[in-house]
């Protein structure tokens, strides 16, 4: 059983790299952001709360994040292991996580802030079916329209320049120190997040001692 954490600033490719590992290794991909976005799309009580927080460019509070992660992991549907992204994001969450689970590796995707801005501000979302697009590398066939359902694409509420700057500050102030906690356990693997997706994936696999990625 493999238990991985993937960390990196928003736009570093955590979700994509997690899915590539998941598909090959039969891991369960647990994305805190995806869980919250599901609640936002489905207009739940939690979703309304999260929408206000995301629009302000802030991070969801520790108690709420921990409860969501705990409930998801308590499902125990991860027979071959899991890879979790979007958590932990600060020291308190890291301590909770290390006390509860034996982590095999922490994958840290490194990305300069300028590249983060370029990637994030070019993201688009289909509010109807949830498909994600990036105007740099994954443009829709018809400009401004979803390839799957044809709905008009929108910018996420939390992808404004102001919200992004707030998240970058929060990341550098709170999340980077989490890496130092994990480094004490000697489980952190730093990987350059700038190359093409498959190159990043193979760099991850090399450092983890896994077979190379093949389509």
């Amino acid at each position: 059983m493999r238990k991985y954490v993937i960390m990196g600033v928003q736009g570093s490719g955590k979700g994509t790299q997690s899915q590539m590992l998941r598909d090959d290794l039969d891991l369960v991909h647990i994305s805190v952001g995806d869980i919250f976005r599901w609640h936002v799309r489905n207009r739940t009580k939690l979703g309304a709360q999260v929408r206000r927080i995301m629009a302000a460019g802030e991070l969801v509070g520790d108690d709420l994040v921990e409860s969501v992660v705990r409930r998801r992991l308590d499902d125990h549907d991860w027979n071959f292991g899991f890879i979790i992204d979007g958590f932990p994001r600060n020291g308190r969450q890291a301590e909770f996580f290390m006390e509860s689970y034996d982590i095999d590796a922490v994958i840290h995707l490194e990305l300069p802030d300028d590249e983060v801005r370029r990637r994030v501000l070019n993201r688009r979302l289909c509010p109807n079916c949830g498909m994600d697009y990036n105007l740099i590398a994954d443009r829709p066939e018809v400009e401004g329209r979803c390839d799957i359902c044809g709905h008009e694409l929108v910018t996420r509420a939390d992808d404004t320049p102001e919200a992004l700057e707030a998240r970058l500050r929060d990341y550098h102030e709170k999340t980077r120190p989490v890496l130092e906690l994990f480094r004490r356990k000697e489980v952190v693997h730093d990987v350059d997040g700038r190359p093409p997706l498959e190159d990043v994936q193979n760099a991850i696999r090399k450092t983890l001692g896994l077979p190379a990625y093949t389509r």
Side-chain angles (χ1 to χ4, degrees), residues 67-173:
S67 67
V68 166
V69 171
R70 192 187 298 274
R71 286 200 302 268
R72 180 63 187 86
L73 289 172
D74 282 349
D75 287 344
H76 289 291
D77 58 347
W78 32 280
N79 297 328
F80 296 98
F82 61 77
I83 181 164
I84 184 166
D85 79 71
F87 184 91
R89 292 182 296 195
N90 58 42
R92 171 179 158 175
Q93 293 174 4
E95 295 288 355
F96 151 76
F97 205 48
M98 286 190 288
E99 289 171 2
S100 305
Y101 303 96
D102 293 323
I103 301 302
D104 295 304
V106 175
I107 304 155
H108 173 224
L109 297 178
E110 299 181 295
L111 199 68
D113 286 358
D114 286 348
E115 179 64 12
V116 173
R117 295 183 184 96
R118 190 177 78 93
R119 292 185 181 187
V120 170
L121 297 179
N122 277 284
R123 295 195 303 196
R124 297 295 183 272
L125 172 71
C126 176
N128 185 51
C129 70
M131 280 292 294
D132 284 306
Y133 296 87
N134 189 291
L135 302 184
I136 300 169
D138 185 26
R139 301 181 67 89
E141 293 182 6
V142 177
E143 185 174 355
R145 293 285 173 180
C146 178
D147 293 341
I148 305 301
C149 67
H151 198 281
E152 184 178 359
L153 302 179
V154 299
T155 300
R156 291 181 185 174
D158 59 336
D159 277 354
T160 64
E162 296 78 15
L164 176 57
E165 291 304 317
R167 289 199 303 279
L168 281 171
R169 285 195 302 272
D170 211 281
Y171 177 79
H172 292 306
E173 292 172 4

Side-chain angles (χ1 to χ4, degrees), residues 17 19-25 107 191 198-214:
Q17 297 300 332
Q19 290 163 14
M20 294 166 81
L21 283 171
R22 175 201 67 190
D23 293 343
D24 265 9
L25 304 177
I107 304 155
V191 176
E198 291 186 9
D199 292 347
V200 175
Q201 178 69 193
N202 277 318
I204 291 172
R205 289 171 181 244
K206 182 177 180 179
T207 193
L208 295 179
L210 299 172
Y213 175 77
T214 56

Side-chain angles (χ1 to χ4, degrees), residues 4 50 53 64 119 146 188 206 214:
Y4 298 139
V50 170
I53 295 170
L64 185 55
R119 292 185 181 187
C146 178
V188 177
K206 182 177 180 179
T214 56

